[in-house]
């Protein structure tokens, strides 16, 4: 099964950004991709850089957005993983990945479970933590463990998806650097992001796809300078080996072949699921063991 | 706090091997180490390469071994992490890490919880899975999350130790290559081992020490050629950054400074513990979600 990761910039407005995505999906499909993954909140800028009630307007179009991407999936005959701003009710919003089948039907959705909040990433202001749990989504290309961004730091999320049979973990992401950080700190942050996710692929013997946005996005309030999204979308195999990796600063489509036989082989030599001490894992449900 | 990792070969017999370890502990102590970590089953060869009831003789000396290493800790004034073959009763054995205080008293012990079993690593034949749970050990140099080898593939073990306040995860290890594997496969295996552990350091914002044996050990039954232990003992910081790494083929003492302030700083910028969706983690106690 051939998958495509689409890494792009924000084009300054929704219309141009969405047009760019659709062109890239079309190209990916033409080159044989059956699964296409878009980056986090790919329709626009990363608006969580500041807290502004007017940004809730962006979620008003959620139903139309779903129709739009359904159509994009159908026209290109691909399973499509999108990342949208969902208005569920007045004052109740989610960061939601909607997955479409090749015929445009909704295969499933995942509401981001772990919500970050730190300077420039004010997501707790915008998104209620998901209430759909960690449920993989069945599609014609396999069972997809769709998670979003901050989830990628949590081994528990990856593990539960794998225990429920996910064959590929998929993370639409928006992560970047502050230019004011040292080069050393930037390197540590990027490598930590890459490494913790490769760790999930290894611990669970699954494929892992992470798609990150790229380019600099300004903070118009001037409270911060802005975020330089580091791109570097990648695919890891079930031993955590990096199969493909994008650049830090360019728009790209990455193609990769997902081979389920390889997962089977790796789990035979490294049968981690065989030996988990599940009777001793109760403390994982605690906040902290004081 | 200065820690030392001691990576060495099997010297062909217990007496010479133990002598070598003691010399290295002495050297580490002289250079200011307060915490010294030895590799898995450091007193002899990695006997689990084959299943042989005679090898249970090696555990007969457990009580004497404890006295011996207690004395080594006391003489050198270091907190010492050892890895011993424990006879608990006839027909009941564990792979046990005993941790000694600087005065030679026993600070605590950990019985390896996850037991591997694959060709050349027949540990399920020798070791009953531990029944002491994942409990960190308090020492004068900090709270140590001591785990052993196969545990290193399990994010749950690392997480529980961290939730219980472990500041350093410590893994005495015996892992190596089969010479008959391809160079590519060897690279993937080594990198997976390194990466999954760095992932634990990142996900939990803790230091991580892994000490592996080095050198080739033959299989005298000739069922296998033998195992080439890959050394590469290392220390990762709380962002998973590699602070020190040993060679693949030499005996070495690695020194590293453990800075608790750095852990505090990293957890302030990456507060992963804040957001865990513990109410949704029940499935982690399942073998598989069929």
């Amino acid at each position: 099964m051939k998958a495509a990761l689409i890494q792009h910039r924000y084009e300054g407005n929704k219309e141009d950004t969405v047009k760019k995505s659709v062109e890239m999906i079309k190209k990916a499909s033409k080159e044989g991709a059956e699964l296409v993954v878009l980056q986090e909140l790919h329709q626009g800028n990363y608006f969580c850089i500041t807290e502004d009630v007017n940004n809730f307007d962006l979620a008003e179009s959620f139903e139309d957005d779903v129709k739009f991407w359904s159509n994009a999936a159908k026209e290109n005959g691909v399973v499509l993983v999108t990342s949208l701003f969902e208005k569920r009710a007045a004052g109740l919003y989610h960061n939601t990945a909607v997955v479409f089948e090749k015929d445009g039907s909704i295969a499933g959705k995942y509401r981001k479970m772990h919500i970050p909040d730190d300077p420039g990433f004010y997501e707790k202001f915008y998104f209620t933590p998901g209430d759909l749990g960690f449920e993989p989504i069945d599609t014609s290309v396999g069972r997809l463990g769709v998670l979003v961004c901050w989830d990628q730091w949590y081994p528990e999320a990856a593990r539960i998806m794998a225990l429920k049979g996910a064959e590929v973990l998929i993370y639409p992401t928006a992560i970047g650097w502050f230019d004011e950080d040292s080069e050393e700190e930037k390197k540590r942050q990027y490598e930590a992001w890459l490494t913790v996710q490769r760790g999930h692929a290894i611990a669970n013997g699954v494929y892992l796809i992470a798609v990150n946005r790229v380019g600099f996005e300004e903070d118009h309030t001037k409270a911060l300078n802005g975020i330089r999204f580091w791109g570097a979308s990648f695919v890891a195999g079930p031993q955590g080996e990096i199969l493909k990796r994008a650049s830090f600063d360019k728009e790209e489509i990455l193609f990769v072949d997902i081979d389920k036989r390889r997962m089977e082989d790796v789990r035979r030599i490294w049968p981690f699921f065989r030996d988990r001490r599940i009777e001793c894992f109760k403390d994982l449900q605690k906040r902290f063991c004081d």
Side-chain angles (χ1 to χ4, degrees), chain A residues 145-201:
Chain A
V146 178
L147 295 158
V148 178
C149 205
W150 192 237
D151 292 318
Q152 63 209 173
W153 301 96
Y154 293 86
E156 294 94 340
R159 178 69 98 203
I160 293 173
M161 286 295 194
L163 291 177
K164 291 184 175 175
E167 296 158 314
V168 190
L169 299 176
I170 296 178
Y171 297 88
T173 298
I175 191 167
W177 293 300
F178 295 125
D179 285 352
E180 6 349 336
D181 277 338
S182 70
E183 290 308 308
E184 274 193 348
E185 176 62 18
K186 286 180 194 168
K187 182 171 181 282
R188 277 196 301 268
Q189 291 187 4
Y190 161 67
E191 288 200 351
W193 173 80
L194 174 67
T195 301
V196 77
Q197 292 181 84
R198 290 177 68 194
H200 303 329

Side-chain angles (χ1 to χ4, degrees), chain A residues 115-144:
Chain A
I115 307 294
D117 198 284
D118 53 285
F121 298 83
Y122 300 104
E123 295 197 21
K124 287 193 193 297
F125 174 74
Y126 293 105
F127 311 124
T128 289
D131 59 351
L132 299 176
F134 302 103
E135 292 293 339
I137 295 171
D138 277 316
T139 72
S140 57
V141 298
R143 188 170 285 190
L144 309 180

Side-chain angles (χ1 to χ4, degrees), chain A residues 191-249:
Chain A
E191 288 200 351
W193 173 80
L194 174 67
T195 301
V196 77
Q197 292 181 84
R198 290 177 68 194
H200 303 329
I202 297 161
N204 297 292
V206 291
Y207 282 84
L208 187 148
I209 290 174
V211 184
N212 190 24
R213 58 173 63 210
V214 76
F216 185 77
E217 297 185 21
E218 233 183 319
D219 175 5
H220 294 290
T221 70
K222 304 290 176 201
L224 299 167
N225 290 324
I227 303 170
R228 192 167 302 277
F229 293 96
W230 66 49
S233 301
F234 72 94
V235 183
Q239 283 178 311
E241 71 278 20
I242 294 172
L243 300 174
K244 282 288 173 72
R245 177 155 44 170
S247 68
F248 291 114
D249 53 5

